[in-house]
Amino acid sequence: MSDQPDSPEADETGTVATPPIPPQPPHMPAPQPEPRTRPAWLVPVIATTVVVGITAATAGYLLASGDTTDAAAPAASSSASASATAAASPTWNATPTRLVNDVPGVKRVPYEQAVTALTTAGIAKDNIAWVSPFSDQPKPADPAGMTVCDIVRTSGLTVTATTTVDLSVIETDGTCPLQHNKPKPKPSCTQTGEYKKLSDREFKQMIRNTTAQLMDCFTIYGEIVQADSATGTTSVRANTCGEKKQPKYGFLSDCDTNSILTELVPTGKLNGVVKGDLFEAKVQLGFDTSYKTTLGGTISAPTFYVQEIKSYGSVD
């Protein structure tokens, strides 16, 4: 006997027959893992983390972009400034443009000197004219020797041969106005010497509203009632009125307006008068003065700035 398995036998046709396969046990599928479950809080946490991350990334990008822009702006500005400076800088042989108002030696000088300065700058002499600085004054017939206050009109800002110029001229001893083409200010009454005389009634009406005639000039009369160390050498107190009167019974009747006489500029005019003097004075009406009395009260009195004063008698 042999230990080898039996060889398959051939059938009548010579074909070898394959032995039958023994029956196999049934096939079982592989075991599957149990399904995984996610906690309920996990999804919101993940969503929040994603949103925060996106926001932070966006902010970082914008900040970086802003820094880049800010850093680039000064560089661009510097570059533009340098270019503008280079473009504005004249070349060595360029002729600078001169402005009419920048021509030196024109204002506050004699008219002839101003004309010379303008013609030297390049303006034709025939294009230079003159006017009065005051709207209510006629044009001077001849500006020779007059003083130029200002250039008040030009046909162009720059100096050319065809530029026309008007010069505001005034008398040599005159005062140039602050504004051109305004009415000429009236001279003060102290300059003209016009001191208005008043009746007693007009005088009383005037002192009721002193601001209406402030700095106007008047001739007044009165009696000195206080001239001592309290008033000093530049002021006195007096009873005043509009009409000249003679004393009766040791005083001036109907001349009893308590007033202050003072000097705007100390000249000694009031240093020579004493209590009891009767006077005639040329004055300017000033602001009312308030002062305390010996009893502690306060009195307001009209104030007159004395230009001239002279005594014509005394109550003593």
Side-chain angles (χ1 to χ4, degrees):
M1 290 183 69
S2 174
D3 294 335
Q4 295 293 325
D6 295 337
S7 298
E9 297 180 355
D11 59 10
E12 295 177 353
T13 61
T15 302
V16 179
T18 301
I21 299 173
Q24 299 292 324
H27 177 73
M28 299 296 293
Q32 298 296 324
E34 295 182 1
R36 300 175 61 184
T37 59
R38 288 191 289 261
W41 53 264
L42 182 60
V43 173
V45 170
I46 294 174
T48 303
T49 304
V50 171
V51 172
V52 171
I54 293 174
T55 302
T58 302
Y61 173 77
L62 293 177
L63 182 60
S65 299
D67 290 344
T68 303
T69 302
D70 292 343
S77 176
S78 299
S79 177
S81 298
S83 299
T85 302
S89 301
T91 57
W92 65 270
N93 60 350
T95 301
T97 300
R98 300 196 68 181
L99 302 180
V100 175
N101 281 309
D102 291 340
V103 176
V106 177
K107 303 175 185 179
R108 304 300 190 275
V109 297
Y111 177 78
E112 294 81 0
Q113 182 176 333
V115 171
T116 299
L118 291 171
T119 54
T120 302
I123 297 176
K125 185 175 182 179
D126 291 341
N127 291 338
I128 302 173
W130 65 95
V131 295
S132 170
F134 304 111
S135 61
D136 56 349
Q137 297 291 309
K139 174 183 176 180
D142 185 358
M146 302 186 79
T147 298
V148 175
C149 289
D150 205 350
I151 299 173
V152 295
R153 188 188 69 84
T154 67
S155 61
L157 296 177
T158 59
V159 173
T160 66
T162 58
T163 300
T164 59
V165 177
D166 283 353
L167 300 177
S168 172
V169 296
I170 196 169
E171 299 84 357
T172 302
D173 57 349
T175 301
C176 290
L178 296 178
Q179 288 183 302
H180 177 77
N181 206 32
K182 297 291 183 180
K184 187 174 184 179
K186 296 180 179 180
S188 68
C189 51
T190 58
Q191 293 174 317
T192 62
E194 298 175 356
Y195 293 87
K196 183 178 180 180
K197 289 192 175 184
L198 304 170
S199 66
D200 284 345
R201 180 179 179 81
E202 290 172 334
F203 180 86
K204 291 177 180 179
Q205 289 175 332
M206 180 261 293
I207 63 174
R208 289 185 64 184
N209 185 13
T210 54
T211 56
Q213 301 184 68
L214 189 66
M215 300 308 290
D216 285 353
C217 293
F218 303 95
T219 297
I220 64 173
Y221 300 90
E223 172 192 348
I224 305 297
V225 296
Q226 184 179 0
D228 53 24
S229 59
T231 60
T233 59
T234 58
S235 296
V236 296
R237 189 167 63 85
N239 287 336
T240 59
C241 51
E243 301 175 13
K244 185 176 182 179
K245 296 177 175 61
Q246 297 298 331
K248 291 181 180 180
Y249 312 109
F251 65 94
L252 289 182
S253 61
D254 298 326
C255 192
D256 54 3
T257 299
N258 181 48
S259 307
I260 302 297
L261 273 59
T262 189
E263 299 179 37
L264 282 176
V265 179
T267 59
K269 291 183 176 68
L270 293 174
N271 196 30
V273 299
V274 296
K275 181 181 178 182
D277 281 353
L278 307 178
F279 66 86
E280 174 185 332
K282 293 182 177 180
V283 299
Q284 278 183 290
L285 180 60
F287 294 96
D288 291 351
T289 298
S290 297
Y291 64 93
K292 290 187 176 297
T293 66
T294 55
L295 298 178
T298 300
I299 293 180
S300 292
T303 301
F304 297 100
Y305 302 133
V306 175
Q307 303 298 323
E308 297 180 21
I309 187 169
K310 60 181 180 181
S311 297
Y312 68 89
S314 175
V315 295
D316 297 334

